[in-house]
Amino acid sequence: MTQTIYLYNTLTRQKEIFKPLNAPHVGMYVCGPTVYGDAHLGHARPAITFDILFRYLQHVGYKVRYVRNITDVGHLEHDADEGEDKIAKKARLEELEPMEVAQYYTNRFHDAMRAMNVLPPSIEPHASGHIMEQEQLVKEIIENGFAYESNGSVYFDVEKYNQKHHYGKLSGRNLNDIINNSRELAGVGEKKNQADFALWKKAQPEHIMRWPSPWSDGFPGWHCECTAMGRKYLGNHFDIHGGGMDLVFPHHECEIAQAVASQGDDMVHYWIHNNMITINGQKMGKSLGNFITLPEFFSGSHEKLEKAYSPMTIRFFILQAHYRSTVDFSNDALQAAEKGLERLMDAWNALQKIVPSKDGNIDVGFAEEIERKCYEAMNDDLNTPIVISHLFDAAKTINIIADKKAGITPEGLEKLLAVFDSFAFGILGLMKNAGTDNAGREEVFGKVVDMLLEQRSRAKAMKDWTTSDAIRDRLMALGFDIKDSKDGSSWKLNK
Ligand code: ZN
């Protein structure tokens, strides 16, 4: 590998040179979505962050096995201990099979990822398809003395583990803080200690998603799936485990404890976490009414959105911030991202049309300098906003050349095309002609139909029935439903 890449490791709290355990092979595991609802902006960020890492590692020559799971067993409220499985609850309310709900939202998640040009992972294991592996993990932890059975459920014995290892090393907490900050009150019921977490839960009679086990008919605790599936597909020791910062505690902390308690040592070398997205300075949450899903962004159908935003605008918006900084969503910020992306794509389009000249004053050195700076930014913990700023610098020069105020040599042009192509499209994953995106096209398309209906109203006002009927008939033949009322006409496209 010609590039030395620094990545920030949450575990050691510093940037470290990335050295895979088994180069050129790299194992990477990222926590995927829970499929009981549409993905929102908060899901787009880890998907795009780790897509960038996946693309970049491959770009510099690594062979990456990227595993991203689908959580289809369902999380329960409060750290997987109490309450109803959210997938099962949705299934009950909508009279569907739980797996129908999970498949529906998995498909929609894939659609949103494809639209944002997020590459599919190498393996996408489902938690429900790996119950045996999770039971095996629980057995090992019990055998090693770090878990106990209680009333058909199995809990991880945090206090016992902490006597030998450090529970809290990833999140920088100690056990006393964790106990004092626990939401649960003194009565801990089945658990020895309120900090203990479930490895296996006995199912309540009404619980639909359940599997047999040596302990009870039940289901695995939330944290088990990633440890069990990461190990199955990437081995006992692998390079990268990623996810959103909200997963550091308890999810990833518990994963570390489970790995150490079962196999005796750490499983993961680099823990990487993206920061969160706020909406107008507030945390996203259903109760705050600012929980905007990706399909809502793409169609503009949420009251907080002034318009539709294309998947590429969302991608560009996320990449304009470093993955470890917070990002605040607002319509203004997204519209600025949209304009920025358009400017970059305009420069790319202008670059295609430039005719080089042998005596041009801009030579290959210009593109090489942009390339060097882009690599430097990517190697510095994936600093995509800096990469984007270098591409904007290139865009400025491209515009000067396009205006014929400077000239570029044939070698210079060839190199500039190659550098732009590999960073903007290959590594940042933007899509060519992203400026003329679907959202924009749909908006224009809708306006054209409105315009035709205005023509028809005018024809009707003039009692020109031939024209008015012709417009209606032609639109209906194209699949539009036209409704006339006292206030005018409205339309809808039948799929
Ligand atoms: Zn996970």
Side-chain angles (χ1 to χ4, degrees), residues 285-297:
K286 278 208 161 115
S287 55
L288 298 168
N290 62 3
F291 193 86
I292 312 176
T293 68
L294 292 173
E296 284 167 344
F297 272 104

Side-chain angles (χ1 to χ4, degrees), residues 29-32 69 71 75 222-227 229 241-243 247 251-252 255 271:
Y29 188 99
V30 174
C31 294
N69 64 305
T71 298
H75 290 181
W222 165 32
H223 315 301
C224 288
E225 64 184 76
C226 295
T227 307
M229 298 191 294
H241 193 315
L247 296 181
H251 187 48
H252 292 161
E255 277 193 49
W271 283 92

Side-chain angles (χ1 to χ4, degrees), residues 23 80 199 202-203 237 265 270 307 316 374 396 475:
L199 296 173
K202 180 182 173 178
H237 303 102
D265 60 1
Y270 302 89
K307 62 192 279 296
F316 193 69
C374 286
K396 251 184 245 162
L475 283 173

